[in-house]
mmCIF file of all heavy atoms in Angstrom:
data_model
loop_
_atom_site.group_PDB
_atom_site.id
_atom_site.type_symbol
_atom_site.label_atom_id
_atom_site.label_comp_id
_atom_site.label_asym_id
_atom_site.label_seq_id
_atom_site.Cartn_x
_atom_site.Cartn_y
_atom_site.Cartn_z
ATOM 1 N N ILE A 8 7.287 1.834 -7.914
ATOM 2 C CA ILE A 8 6.468 1.645 -6.715
ATOM 3 C C ILE A 8 6.201 0.159 -6.507
ATOM 4 O O ILE A 8 6.334 -0.367 -5.411
ATOM 5 C CB ILE A 8 5.116 2.408 -6.842
ATOM 6 C CG1 ILE A 8 5.331 3.923 -6.773
ATOM 7 C CG2 ILE A 8 4.126 1.959 -5.775
ATOM 8 C CD1 ILE A 8 5.595 4.468 -5.381
ATOM 9 N N ARG A 9 5.871 -0.533 -7.580
ATOM 10 C CA ARG A 9 5.554 -1.956 -7.501
ATOM 11 C C ARG A 9 6.765 -2.754 -7.024
ATOM 12 O O ARG A 9 6.645 -3.625 -6.164
ATOM 13 C CB ARG A 9 5.086 -2.448 -8.869
ATOM 14 C CG ARG A 9 4.598 -3.865 -8.849
ATOM 15 C CD ARG A 9 3.892 -4.235 -10.137
ATOM 16 N NE ARG A 9 3.384 -5.589 -10.006
ATOM 17 C CZ ARG A 9 4.109 -6.664 -10.281
ATOM 18 N NH1 ARG A 9 5.346 -6.550 -10.717
ATOM 19 N NH2 ARG A 9 3.594 -7.871 -10.115
ATOM 20 N N GLU A 10 7.939 -2.426 -7.572
ATOM 21 C CA GLU A 10 9.165 -3.111 -7.155
ATOM 22 C C GLU A 10 9.440 -2.882 -5.670
ATOM 23 O O GLU A 10 9.810 -3.811 -4.949
ATOM 24 C CB GLU A 10 10.364 -2.620 -7.967
ATOM 25 C CG GLU A 10 10.428 -3.205 -9.366
ATOM 26 C CD GLU A 10 11.334 -2.396 -10.282
ATOM 27 O OE1 GLU A 10 12.283 -1.765 -9.776
ATOM 28 O OE2 GLU A 10 11.083 -2.392 -11.497
ATOM 29 N N ALA A 11 9.253 -1.648 -5.232
ATOM 30 C CA ALA A 11 9.489 -1.314 -3.828
ATOM 31 C C ALA A 11 8.553 -2.118 -2.923
ATOM 32 O O ALA A 11 8.986 -2.700 -1.932
ATOM 33 C CB ALA A 11 9.295 0.183 -3.609
ATOM 34 N N LEU A 12 7.274 -2.161 -3.289
ATOM 35 C CA LEU A 12 6.299 -2.895 -2.482
ATOM 36 C C LEU A 12 6.595 -4.390 -2.480
ATOM 37 O O LEU A 12 6.509 -5.055 -1.448
ATOM 38 C CB LEU A 12 4.877 -2.639 -3.002
ATOM 39 C CG LEU A 12 4.326 -1.237 -2.770
ATOM 40 C CD1 LEU A 12 3.036 -1.036 -3.538
ATOM 41 C CD2 LEU A 12 4.105 -0.975 -1.291
ATOM 42 N N THR A 13 6.972 -4.907 -3.640
ATOM 43 C CA THR A 13 7.275 -6.337 -3.759
ATOM 44 C C THR A 13 8.451 -6.726 -2.866
ATOM 45 O O THR A 13 8.442 -7.769 -2.222
ATOM 46 C CB THR A 13 7.576 -6.707 -5.229
ATOM 47 O OG1 THR A 13 6.478 -6.288 -6.043
ATOM 48 C CG2 THR A 13 7.735 -8.200 -5.392
ATOM 49 N N LYS A 14 9.450 -5.853 -2.808
ATOM 50 C CA LYS A 14 10.620 -6.118 -1.952
ATOM 51 C C LYS A 14 10.236 -6.149 -0.477
ATOM 52 O O LYS A 14 10.830 -6.884 0.306
ATOM 53 C CB LYS A 14 11.702 -5.056 -2.183
ATOM 54 C CG LYS A 14 12.470 -5.262 -3.469
ATOM 55 C CD LYS A 14 13.735 -4.405 -3.495
ATOM 56 C CE LYS A 14 14.459 -4.540 -4.824
ATOM 57 N NZ LYS A 14 14.201 -3.403 -5.719
ATOM 58 N N LEU A 15 9.263 -5.333 -0.100
ATOM 59 C CA LEU A 15 8.831 -5.285 1.305
ATOM 60 C C LEU A 15 8.126 -6.571 1.708
ATOM 61 O O LEU A 15 8.305 -7.060 2.809
ATOM 62 C CB LEU A 15 7.900 -4.095 1.530
ATOM 63 C CG LEU A 15 8.547 -2.734 1.348
ATOM 64 C CD1 LEU A 15 7.494 -1.647 1.397
ATOM 65 C CD2 LEU A 15 9.606 -2.506 2.405
ATOM 66 N N GLY A 16 7.305 -7.088 0.806
ATOM 67 C CA GLY A 16 6.665 -8.372 1.048
ATOM 68 C C GLY A 16 5.373 -8.314 1.842
ATOM 69 O O GLY A 16 5.072 -7.329 2.512
ATOM 70 N N ASP A 17 4.633 -9.396 1.748
ATOM 71 C CA ASP A 17 3.336 -9.550 2.411
ATOM 72 C C ASP A 17 3.419 -9.354 3.915
ATOM 73 O O ASP A 17 4.375 -9.788 4.547
ATOM 74 C CB ASP A 17 2.808 -10.969 2.163
ATOM 75 C CG ASP A 17 2.089 -11.080 0.838
ATOM 76 O OD1 ASP A 17 2.225 -10.156 0.023
ATOM 77 O OD2 ASP A 17 1.393 -12.081 0.633
ATOM 78 N N GLY A 18 2.406 -8.727 4.448
ATOM 79 C CA GLY A 18 2.269 -8.633 5.894
ATOM 80 C C GLY A 18 3.049 -7.495 6.537
ATOM 81 O O GLY A 18 2.952 -7.266 7.736
ATOM 82 N N ARG A 19 3.798 -6.779 5.723
ATOM 83 C CA ARG A 19 4.585 -5.658 6.237
ATOM 84 C C ARG A 19 3.662 -4.497 6.593
ATOM 85 O O ARG A 19 2.713 -4.222 5.883
ATOM 86 C CB ARG A 19 5.575 -5.228 5.147
ATOM 87 C CG ARG A 19 6.555 -4.160 5.554
ATOM 88 C CD ARG A 19 7.629 -4.703 6.488
ATOM 89 N NE ARG A 19 8.352 -3.605 7.087
ATOM 90 C CZ ARG A 19 9.522 -3.141 6.630
ATOM 91 N NH1 ARG A 19 10.103 -3.698 5.609
ATOM 92 N NH2 ARG A 19 10.109 -2.130 7.222
ATOM 93 N N ASP A 20 3.928 -3.841 7.714
ATOM 94 C CA ASP A 20 3.147 -2.660 8.088
ATOM 95 C C ASP A 20 3.577 -1.482 7.225
ATOM 96 O O ASP A 20 4.745 -1.118 7.223
ATOM 97 C CB ASP A 20 3.373 -2.293 9.560
ATOM 98 C CG ASP A 20 2.676 -3.266 10.495
ATOM 99 O OD1 ASP A 20 1.557 -3.692 10.163
ATOM 100 O OD2 ASP A 20 3.250 -3.597 11.544
ATOM 101 N N VAL A 21 2.624 -0.922 6.499
ATOM 102 C CA VAL A 21 2.945 0.202 5.621
ATOM 103 C C VAL A 21 1.863 1.267 5.699
ATOM 104 O O VAL A 21 0.751 1.010 6.139
ATOM 105 C CB VAL A 21 3.063 -0.222 4.125
ATOM 106 C CG1 VAL A 21 4.251 -1.124 3.899
ATOM 107 C CG2 VAL A 21 1.776 -0.859 3.633
ATOM 108 N N GLU A 22 2.233 2.454 5.255
ATOM 109 C CA GLU A 22 1.253 3.500 5.016
ATOM 110 C C GLU A 22 1.473 3.967 3.589
ATOM 111 O O GLU A 22 2.583 4.321 3.217
ATOM 112 C CB GLU A 22 1.412 4.654 5.997
ATOM 113 C CG GLU A 22 0.334 5.710 5.803
ATOM 114 C CD GLU A 22 0.127 6.598 7.027
ATOM 115 O OE1 GLU A 22 0.815 6.394 8.040
ATOM 116 O OE2 GLU A 22 -0.723 7.487 6.940
ATOM 117 N N LEU A 23 0.420 3.899 2.786
ATOM 118 C CA LEU A 23 0.510 4.349 1.400
ATOM 119 C C LEU A 23 -0.147 5.715 1.298
ATOM 120 O O LEU A 23 -1.303 5.881 1.690
ATOM 121 C CB LEU A 23 -0.178 3.360 0.456
ATOM 122 C CG LEU A 23 0.419 1.957 0.400
ATOM 123 C CD1 LEU A 23 -0.270 1.145 -0.685
ATOM 124 C CD2 LEU A 23 1.912 1.985 0.174
ATOM 125 N N VAL A 24 0.598 6.680 0.812
ATOM 126 C CA VAL A 24 0.073 8.033 0.626
ATOM 127 C C VAL A 24 -0.247 8.186 -0.859
ATOM 128 O O VAL A 24 0.592 7.908 -1.713
ATOM 129 C CB VAL A 24 1.103 9.098 1.068
ATOM 130 C CG1 VAL A 24 0.517 10.497 0.896
ATOM 131 C CG2 VAL A 24 1.535 8.858 2.510
ATOM 132 N N LEU A 25 -1.471 8.613 -1.141
ATOM 133 C CA LEU A 25 -1.910 8.729 -2.527
ATOM 134 C C LEU A 25 -1.680 10.130 -3.074
ATOM 135 O O LEU A 25 -1.435 11.074 -2.320
ATOM 136 C CB LEU A 25 -3.396 8.364 -2.639
ATOM 137 C CG LEU A 25 -3.799 7.018 -2.048
ATOM 138 C CD1 LEU A 25 -5.225 6.688 -2.430
ATOM 139 C CD2 LEU A 25 -2.855 5.909 -2.478
ATOM 140 N N ASN A 26 -1.774 10.242 -4.381
ATOM 141 C CA ASN A 26 -1.590 11.530 -5.053
ATOM 142 C C ASN A 26 -2.550 12.600 -4.527
ATOM 143 O O ASN A 26 -2.217 13.773 -4.512
ATOM 144 C CB ASN A 26 -1.790 11.372 -6.563
ATOM 145 C CG ASN A 26 -0.712 10.496 -7.181
ATOM 146 O OD1 ASN A 26 0.432 10.480 -6.732
ATOM 147 N ND2 ASN A 26 -1.077 9.737 -8.203
ATOM 148 N N ASN A 27 -3.743 12.172 -4.102
ATOM 149 C CA ASN A 27 -4.738 13.145 -3.622
ATOM 150 C C ASN A 27 -4.547 13.504 -2.147
ATOM 151 O O ASN A 27 -5.341 14.224 -1.569
ATOM 152 C CB ASN A 27 -6.163 12.625 -3.860
ATOM 153 C CG ASN A 27 -6.460 11.357 -3.072
ATOM 154 O OD1 ASN A 27 -5.695 10.949 -2.199
ATOM 155 N ND2 ASN A 27 -7.573 10.722 -3.390
ATOM 156 N N GLY A 28 -3.479 12.963 -1.529
ATOM 157 C CA GLY A 28 -3.187 13.307 -0.149
ATOM 158 C C GLY A 28 -3.777 12.355 0.873
ATOM 159 O O GLY A 28 -3.422 12.390 2.047
ATOM 160 N N LYS A 29 -4.685 11.512 0.433
ATOM 161 C CA LYS A 29 -5.292 10.528 1.330
ATOM 162 C C LYS A 29 -4.267 9.440 1.623
ATOM 163 O O LYS A 29 -3.424 9.139 0.782
ATOM 164 C CB LYS A 29 -6.530 9.935 0.646
ATOM 165 C CG LYS A 29 -7.402 9.152 1.578
ATOM 166 C CD LYS A 29 -8.767 8.883 0.973
ATOM 167 C CE LYS A 29 -9.601 8.164 2.033
ATOM 168 N NZ LYS A 29 -10.981 7.981 1.731
ATOM 169 N N SER A 30 -4.329 8.851 2.820
ATOM 170 C CA SER A 30 -3.383 7.776 3.099
ATOM 171 C C SER A 30 -4.080 6.592 3.749
ATOM 172 O O SER A 30 -5.120 6.741 4.398
ATOM 173 C CB SER A 30 -2.239 8.272 3.972
ATOM 174 O OG SER A 30 -2.714 8.600 5.251
ATOM 175 N N TYR A 31 -3.512 5.416 3.548
ATOM 176 C CA TYR A 31 -4.048 4.180 4.102
ATOM 177 C C TYR A 31 -2.943 3.462 4.839
ATOM 178 O O TYR A 31 -1.879 3.218 4.287
ATOM 179 C CB TYR A 31 -4.559 3.273 2.985
ATOM 180 C CG TYR A 31 -5.773 3.809 2.279
ATOM 181 C CD1 TYR A 31 -5.656 4.492 1.083
ATOM 182 C CD2 TYR A 31 -7.046 3.629 2.822
ATOM 183 C CE1 TYR A 31 -6.778 4.985 0.432
ATOM 184 C CE2 TYR A 31 -8.169 4.123 2.168
ATOM 185 C CZ TYR A 31 -8.028 4.793 0.988
ATOM 186 O OH TYR A 31 -9.134 5.281 0.354
ATOM 187 N N ARG A 32 -3.203 3.128 6.103
ATOM 188 C CA ARG A 32 -2.226 2.411 6.897
ATOM 189 C C ARG A 32 -2.769 1.026 7.220
ATOM 190 O O ARG A 32 -3.925 0.881 7.622
ATOM 191 C CB ARG A 32 -1.955 3.180 8.199
ATOM 192 C CG ARG A 32 -0.787 2.644 8.973
ATOM 193 C CD ARG A 32 -0.089 3.739 9.763
ATOM 194 N NE ARG A 32 -0.969 4.458 10.675
ATOM 195 C CZ ARG A 32 -1.047 4.207 11.979
ATOM 196 N NH1 ARG A 32 -0.324 3.255 12.522
ATOM 197 N NH2 ARG A 32 -1.844 4.910 12.742
ATOM 198 N N GLY A 33 -1.945 0.027 7.020
ATOM 199 C CA GLY A 33 -2.359 -1.335 7.301
ATOM 200 C C GLY A 33 -1.251 -2.305 6.933
ATOM 201 O O GLY A 33 -0.074 -1.942 6.926
ATOM 202 N N LYS A 34 -1.654 -3.531 6.625
ATOM 203 C CA LYS A 34 -0.678 -4.548 6.247
ATOM 204 C C LYS A 34 -0.687 -4.737 4.739
ATOM 205 O O LYS A 34 -1.735 -4.748 4.113
ATOM 206 C CB LYS A 34 -0.995 -5.873 6.938
ATOM 207 C CG LYS A 34 -0.807 -5.799 8.438
ATOM 208 C CD LYS A 34 -0.641 -7.181 9.038
ATOM 209 C CE LYS A 34 -0.462 -7.125 10.542
ATOM 210 N NZ LYS A 34 0.660 -6.279 10.958
ATOM 211 N N LEU A 35 0.500 -4.884 4.201
ATOM 212 C CA LEU A 35 0.644 -5.083 2.766
ATOM 213 C C LEU A 35 0.095 -6.447 2.376
ATOM 214 O O LEU A 35 0.436 -7.455 2.987
ATOM 215 C CB LEU A 35 2.130 -4.976 2.418
ATOM 216 C CG LEU A 35 2.511 -4.706 0.982
ATOM 217 C CD1 LEU A 35 1.785 -3.487 0.437
ATOM 218 C CD2 LEU A 35 4.010 -4.522 0.889
ATOM 219 N N GLY A 36 -0.773 -6.445 1.372
ATOM 220 C CA GLY A 36 -1.347 -7.696 0.879
ATOM 221 C C GLY A 36 -0.828 -7.984 -0.513
ATOM 222 O O GLY A 36 0.306 -7.670 -0.837
ATOM 223 N N THR A 37 -1.691 -8.559 -1.334
ATOM 224 C CA THR A 37 -1.322 -8.954 -2.684
ATOM 225 C C THR A 37 -0.959 -7.755 -3.549
ATOM 226 O O THR A 37 -1.652 -6.746 -3.544
ATOM 227 C CB THR A 37 -2.491 -9.709 -3.354
ATOM 228 O OG1 THR A 37 -2.926 -10.719 -2.451
ATOM 229 C CG2 THR A 37 -2.061 -10.342 -4.664
#
Side-chain angles (χ1 to χ4, degrees):
I8 290 284
R9 186 169 183 274
E10 283 162 28
L12 290 170
T13 305
K14 284 194 184 101
L15 295 172
D17 276 14
R19 185 73 193 263
D20 287 322
V21 293
E22 183 159 0
L23 297 186
V24 181
L25 307 189
N26 294 328
N27 64 10
K29 193 166 184 172
S30 67
Y31 292 98
R32 190 150 56 99
K34 293 200 180 304
L35 199 53
T37 310

